[in-house]
């Protein structure tokens, strides 16, 4: 059960780019949830998953003697969902959020990289993706607002 949870239904076992595969699966699940449930439910799911994941990641890392193994993608799930919570009112914003999240998660700029390097265990694994998700949501919302403004003023034609 732990492996099913931490790999987000085994998407983290993908031989190619497991973090991206897990993020895409998280985005699909998040999109589905938001079609039928209020955004507050996705927020609560993210918090609950984070609380469970920190403890389960600690156990998994001890068993496998490795920090932040590639197959653990539950952190990407929470990051993507938090980005959706902060920005998603349209499919366009969800796609932007996913793109920004992957950029921040891969490049790990600023505090994201610091958390990734300096915090160990479940807190470290989850922490950088939580921050990346928050920044991705803010970035997506900002880009969407600028884009909407430019369209409304006639500077961009769709």
């Amino acid at each position: 059960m732990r492996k099913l949870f931490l790999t987000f239904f085994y998407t983290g076992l993908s031989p190619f780019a497991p973090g991206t595969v897990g993020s895409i699966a998280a985005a699909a699940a998040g999109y589905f949830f938001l079609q039928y449930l209020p955004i507050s439910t996705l927020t609560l799911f993210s918090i609950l998953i984070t609380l469970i994941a920190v403890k389960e990641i600690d156990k998994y890392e001890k068993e496998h003697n490795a920090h932040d193994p590639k197959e653990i993608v539950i952190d990407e799930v929470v990051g993507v969902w938090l980005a959706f919570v902060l920005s998603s009112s349209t499919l366009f914003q969800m796609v932007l959020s996913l793109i920004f999240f992957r950029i921040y998660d891969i490049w790990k700029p600023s505090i994201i990289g610091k958390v990734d390097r300096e915090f160990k265990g479940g807190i470290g694994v989850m922490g950088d993706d939580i921050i990346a998700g928050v920044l991705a949501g803010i970035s997506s919302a900002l880009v969407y607002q600028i884009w909407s403004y430019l369209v409304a003023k006639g500077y961009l034609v769709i």
Side-chain angles (χ1 to χ4, degrees), residues 3-17:
K3 194 167 192 173
L4 179 74
F5 172 72
L6 294 177
T7 62
F8 195 59
F9 302 99
Y10 302 117
T11 59
L13 300 178
S14 168
F16 177 76

Side-chain angles (χ1 to χ4, degrees), residues 132-152:
V134 169
L135 292 177
I138 293 168
S139 299
S140 172
L142 181 63
V143 167
Y144 186 74
Q145 288 300 314
I146 292 168
W147 180 77
S148 297
Y149 173 80
L150 293 174
V151 169

Side-chain angles (χ1 to χ4, degrees), residues 94-113:
M94 289 179 175
V95 171
L96 273 177
S97 292
L98 177 61
I99 291 168
F100 275 118
F101 174 75
R102 289 310 298 151
I103 289 169
Y104 294 147
D105 189 37
I106 292 168
W107 286 347
K108 300 190 186 310
S110 185
I111 193 165
I112 300 167

Side-chain angles (χ1 to χ4, degrees), residues 7-132:
T7 62
F8 195 59
F9 302 99
Y10 302 117
T11 59
L13 300 178
S14 168
F16 177 76
T20 299
V21 172
S23 296
I24 292 168
Y31 176 79
F32 176 78
F33 287 146
L34 291 174
Q35 298 307 302
Y36 300 100
L37 301 168
I39 203 160
S40 58
T41 303
L42 196 59
T43 305
L44 293 173
F45 280 167
S46 298
I47 293 167
L48 177 64
I49 287 171
T50 298
L51 295 173
I52 295 168
V54 167
K55 192 168 191 84
E56 294 303 317
I57 289 168
D58 285 341
K59 292 176 187 174
Y60 190 87
E61 285 186 343
K62 283 181 184 171
E63 289 172 4
H64 293 84
N65 198 27
H67 175 65
D68 200 2
K70 291 186 294 187
E71 67 268 18
I72 294 178
V73 295
I74 198 66
D75 50 332
E76 276 82 3
V77 173
V78 169
V80 169
W81 287 0
L82 289 175
F84 282 12
V85 164
L86 292 172
S87 72
S88 66
S89 59
T90 68
L91 181 58
F92 177 66
Q93 281 180 283
M94 289 179 175
V95 171
L96 273 177
S97 292
L98 177 61
I99 291 168
F100 275 118
F101 174 75
R102 289 310 298 151
I103 289 169
Y104 294 147
D105 189 37
I106 292 168
W107 286 347
K108 300 190 186 310
S110 185
I111 193 165
I112 300 167
K114 186 172 181 146
V115 169
D116 182 58
R117 287 186 306 274
E118 295 183 13
F119 289 83
K120 301 300 175 205
I123 296 287
V125 173
M126 295 300 293
D128 69 313
D129 289 271
I130 288 169
I131 296 167

